[in-house]
Amino acid sequence: MAEYQPGVCNIGANQRRARRLSAIASFAVALAVAVGAVPDLSLWVTIPFVFGGYVGAFQDYFRFCVAFGALARYDLSGSGGSSGRVVASEAVRADRRKAAKILLFAAAATAVTTGLGYAAVTIL
């Protein structure tokens, strides 16, 4: 049975699957735009999709939803646990710190990916 852990785990299997599928879809759209659009413009247009893909992938990997963390909620119902609100102030702070870290990781990964993409387009 899955249990909520402040700043560590706030989503279960069903929620993780949704984030994984969201990540795959976001990366697929970014790739389609990059391949199908004008190369110089396509990198700028892909940034929100790449960022969204990384956010979804990191949420799946860390078993933690950024929005739930910010809103002081959890949902482990897909893994045999419960869902609800987080009331302890220390737990809310831990969840919001974890949410901010995931967004920071996603932003850094997006910057690296976009930089590498730009370098590849420039070289080609």
Side-chain angles (χ1 to χ4, degrees):
M1 185 160 166
E3 292 184 25
Y4 164 73
Q5 299 170 345
V8 177
C9 177
N10 71 355
I11 56 175
N14 291 346
Q15 293 290 333
R16 288 182 67 198
R17 186 177 309 106
R19 276 128 188 99
R20 186 170 38 251
L21 292 174
S22 171
I24 291 167
S26 291
F27 286 134
V29 169
L31 183 61
V33 169
V35 169
V38 177
D40 291 338
L41 176 64
S42 67
L43 290 177
W44 292 108
V45 174
T46 63
I47 289 173
F49 299 108
V50 172
F51 179 73
Y54 279 120
V55 169
F58 287 142
Q59 288 180 115
D60 175 33
Y61 178 78
F62 289 113
R63 301 173 298 145
F64 196 89
C65 173
V66 169
F68 285 174
L71 297 172
R73 299 196 54 79
Y74 63 93
D75 184 356
L76 298 159
S77 58
S79 296
S82 61
S83 62
R85 296 197 62 76
V86 178
V87 292
S89 62
E90 286 185 34
V92 171
R93 270 194 303 280
D95 284 355
R96 289 183 177 160
R97 275 193 305 271
K98 180 69 165 211
K101 284 181 185 178
I102 289 173
L103 292 175
L104 183 62
F105 292 160
T110 300
V112 169
T113 303
T114 305
L116 291 172
Y118 179 77
V121 168
T122 304
I123 291 171
L124 297 175

